[in-house]
């Protein structure tokens, strides 16, 4: 199963850090690509591509003007859409149903107000909690649940930088 993420309604100068963190979280937890809509900010694309260049993997980022088109194309190709929203079914109660299908998954995370079309086109509207919080935390928790914690076993081919886990101190391996 492939996992990709769609970040809705990026706002220039207001959401740069959050959208970048959505991308970094998606990548670190095993997604292969993030689309983002709203304002096109090329510095986000450059930043994420630089991370991939240094930290490895095949992760991609792409801007889209029309997020509904991405959702429709995904579904037309046989994939499933999971919209993360505080108004959905609780993730811990629905994730096993979602995992029964090995179809590719598009995880949608919001920004500003999400239009009703997204709710209606999603196969599942899923909440991590019923309280306001960050789309970054929702994405991390949901990807963790969806992949049974597989993020701990991921390898990123071509990495120039790699952290060696240790109880104290820091060790960063640099490959030339």
């Amino acid at each position: 199963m492939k996992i990709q993420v769609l970040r809705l309604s990026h706002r220039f100068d207001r959401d740069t850090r959050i959208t970048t963190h959505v991308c970094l979280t998606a990548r670190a937890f095993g997604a292969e690509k993030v689309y983002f809509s709203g304002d096109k900010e090329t510095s986000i694309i450059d930043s994420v591509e630089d991370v991939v260049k240094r930290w490895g993997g095949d992760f991609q980022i792409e801007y889209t003007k029309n997020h509904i088109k991405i959702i429709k194309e995904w579904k037309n190709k046989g994939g499933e859409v999971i919209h993360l929203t505080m108004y959905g079914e609780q993730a811990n109660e629905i994730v096993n149903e979602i995992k029964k299908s090995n179809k590719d998954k598009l995880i949608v995370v919001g920004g500003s107000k999400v239009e009703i079309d997204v709710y209606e086109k999603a196969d599942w509207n899923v909440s991590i909690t019923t309280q306001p919080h960050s789309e970054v935390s929702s994405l991390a928790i949901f990807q963790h649940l969806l992949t049974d914690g597989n993020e701990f076993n991921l390898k990123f081919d071509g990495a120039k930088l790699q952290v060696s886990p240790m109880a104290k101190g820091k060790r960063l391996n640099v490959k030339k």
Side-chain angles (χ1 to χ4, degrees):
M1 156 183 61
K2 290 191 282 185
I3 299 172
Q4 295 186 5
V5 174
L6 172 58
R7 160 68 160 132
L8 302 177
S9 306
H10 171 77
R11 294 164 293 183
F12 187 74
D13 284 338
R14 178 178 173 155
D15 293 337
T16 302
R17 189 171 177 92
I18 290 293
T19 299
T20 301
H21 285 189
V22 164
C23 294
L24 297 178
T25 299
R27 177 189 169 276
F29 282 76
E32 61 179 32
K33 183 174 188 172
V34 167
Y35 302 91
F36 74 99
S37 69
D39 297 334
K40 183 175 184 179
E41 191 168 346
T42 57
S43 65
I44 293 171
I45 295 169
D46 295 341
S47 178
V48 171
E49 288 177 346
D50 183 59
V51 168
V52 173
K53 181 179 173 186
R54 290 181 295 126
W55 291 89
D58 296 329
F59 187 80
Q60 299 174 349
I61 179 172
E62 181 180 321
Y63 172 77
T64 181
K65 282 186 177 186
N66 187 340
H67 60 269
I68 295 296
K69 181 180 175 186
I70 296 292
I71 292 170
K72 285 180 181 178
E73 287 175 356
W74 189 267
K75 291 183 71 102
N76 286 340
K77 291 179 183 176
E80 296 172 323
V81 176
I82 299 110
H83 172 222
L84 300 183
T85 170
M86 66 187 230
Y87 301 105
E89 298 176 85
Q90 287 287 307
N92 60 322
E93 295 174 5
I94 195 73
V95 73
N96 287 331
E97 179 183 325
I98 295 169
K99 289 193 291 188
K100 285 180 184 175
S101 166
N102 206 25
K103 293 179 179 179
D104 294 341
K105 307 291 192 262
L106 179 67
I107 303 170
V108 180
V109 294
S112 59
K113 186 177 178 182
V114 176
E115 67 232 37
I116 194 70
D117 273 1
V118 174
Y119 288 88
E120 291 173 348
K121 290 186 180 354
D123 295 289
W124 293 279
N125 290 291
V126 176
S127 69
I128 300 303
T129 74
T130 57
Q131 297 296 308
H133 62 96
S134 166
E135 53 269 43
V136 177
S137 63
S138 291
L139 181 61
I141 290 168
F142 184 75
Q143 279 187 258
H144 173 80
L145 292 172
L146 183 63
T147 64
D148 296 320
N150 192 49
E151 68 273 8
F152 296 107
N153 302 314
L154 294 176
K155 304 289 183 226
F156 294 89
D157 293 336
K160 295 177 183 173
L161 299 173
Q162 196 171 38
V163 171
S164 292
M166 52 194 314
K168 295 184 182 207
K170 298 178 184 178
R171 185 176 307 136
L172 183 64
N173 301 318
V174 180
K175 297 178 184 177
K176 297 195 184 218

